[in-house]
Amino acid sequence: MSGPAEGGRAGVGAQASPDLGRVVVIGAHILDVLGRPVEAIPPGQGSARLQEIRATAAGTAAGTSVDLAKLGAQVASVGAIGDDLLGDVLVAALQRHGVDTAGLVRNPGVQTSATILPIRPNGERPALHVPGATSRLTAGDVDPAAVRGCRALMLGAPDALGDAAAAWLPGVARAASSGGALVVADVLHQGSPGDLERIAGVLATADWFLPNADQLLRLTGRGEIVQAVKDVLALGTGGVAVTLGAEGCLVTAGGGELTAVPAIGVDVVDTTGCGDGFNAGMIAGLLLGCAPVDAAWLGSACGSLVATGLGSDAGIVSLDHAIGFLSRAAPGAAGRIGSHLAR
């Protein structure tokens, strides 16, 4: 297995990474506390010495926000967090990467959503999670001016924002879309057909839906991906990219055939946040004007990079770095993506 590329972009020119413009990310903001490697939980009051412990901004919104900022976007995060120390740490983690946190709403008496992740030596990540404040976001918390004029709107975990969000979130998506923004959605939980019904209004407006395979199958109640994708497209979603973990992803736009994009081999440290990395890379590629399959290649590269370190903010350095890493596995796709930087 190969590790990530170092340095700048390989073989695709030397242009500086572009400004991807303003991207608004609405949804789940979670503080992750991760430690590795955890082979077993000590019994009683025993202890174990680890190599590394980190705290990171995570969740389908916050994790994607950080990765998008690294790739060159001006990111504004919107979500509900607690008025607690966990919230302070989460805000600091986002601001450290240049994310605008003015849209984060502090909820007194409710803790910030948080997860403890003991990472196994093979990169697997059992989770101990407190849902916290995420579902407290209301329509009144989202400033209409925040989405006006943005280049992209990422709806990270509409399934986790509570039942009331089904009534107001589609309107936010339509407002962004009417202004010419790319609208992308992803979910947090495994879900059920009932959850799909709740977020159908969001997906009807979305240009892209980016779930993993387990989420897609559980949401639709289907046993295979092709029909599950058709169910989502029937709602009005423009395109679907389904991540498959170590097997890469499947992507389709406009009801066309599903195209397979393989994963890129790395030495896996931790799989936390790989989906958020894919989301950020896919959005960056689409904002550059890449064809959907090439955007999915960039998403695959970013997801693989995240797996090389601990936490959802690991691996990705910049857009140039991600394209350079991609060029080792798929030079054609990297070259096509790089050509958009010269325009």
Side-chain angles (χ1 to χ4, degrees):
M1 304 283 278
S2 61
E6 298 295 335
R9 190 164 65 249
V12 291
Q15 298 86 0
S17 296
D19 179 357
L20 296 177
R22 192 164 67 90
V23 178
V24 178
V25 183
I26 300 176
H29 289 71
I30 301 169
L31 182 72
D32 276 0
V33 178
L34 314 95
R36 75 168 184 105
V38 178
E39 297 182 355
I41 304 297
Q45 297 188 61
S47 64
R49 183 165 294 187
L50 304 182
Q51 293 178 11
E52 188 177 9
I53 294 175
R54 298 191 67 229
T56 65
T60 321
T64 304
S65 289
V66 167
D67 292 338
L68 279 166
K70 288 184 176 185
L71 294 174
Q74 303 166 29
V75 183
S77 260
V78 179
I81 62 176
D83 189 15
D84 55 4
L85 180 59
L86 294 177
D88 295 343
V89 175
L90 177 56
V91 169
L94 288 163
Q95 291 177 345
R96 186 183 182 115
H97 294 286
V99 176
D100 180 354
T101 60
L104 293 182
V105 181
R106 308 296 291 253
N107 287 256
V110 183
Q111 84 151 78
T112 297
S113 302
T115 307
I116 296 173
L117 295 141
I119 307 302
R120 296 186 173 117
N122 65 358
E124 291 179 348
R125 49 184 179 94
L128 306 171
H129 180 65
V130 175
T134 290
S135 64
R136 300 297 185 97
L137 190 70
T138 69
D141 293 331
V142 182
D143 182 358
V147 300
R148 191 173 301 127
C150 67
R151 290 201 68 206
L153 173 66
M154 171 67 191
L155 300 174
D159 57 315
L161 296 184
D163 292 340
W168 59 264
L169 200 55
V172 175
R174 287 192 294 271
S177 183
S178 66
L182 174 75
V183 178
V184 179
D186 190 11
V187 290
L188 179 66
H189 303 304
Q190 293 299 313
S192 67
D195 293 312
L196 181 61
E197 184 176 353
R198 280 197 302 115
I199 66 172
V202 167
L203 296 183
T205 306
D207 296 294
W208 285 92
F209 183 41
L210 311 179
N212 66 42
D214 288 342
Q215 290 168 332
L216 180 64
L217 295 176
R218 287 175 182 262
L219 285 168
T220 60
R222 297 289 186 177
E224 53 88 25
I225 288 176
V226 172
Q227 187 56 56
V229 168
K230 290 180 179 178
D231 289 347
V232 172
L233 294 175
L235 296 174
T237 311
V240 179
V242 187
T243 54
L244 309 171
E247 297 179 17
C249 71
L250 296 171
V251 59
T252 183
E257 293 293 320
L258 283 167
T259 300
V261 174
I264 300 171
V266 294
D267 295 325
V268 174
V269 171
D270 171 26
T271 58
T272 304
C274 291
D276 302 332
F278 177 87
N279 292 347
M282 181 89 183
I283 291 169
L286 293 170
L287 290 178
L288 287 172
C290 298
V293 171
D294 285 339
W297 269 112
L298 184 56
S300 183
C302 289
S304 293
L305 282 169
V306 169
T308 64
L310 183 62
S312 57
D313 64 352
I316 298 173
V317 176
S318 66
L319 182 59
D320 279 356
H321 179 267
I323 297 174
F325 169 67
L326 176 61
S327 71
R328 295 188 176 186
R336 290 190 296 272
I337 295 167
S339 70
H340 289 273
L341 303 183
R343 295 179 181 176

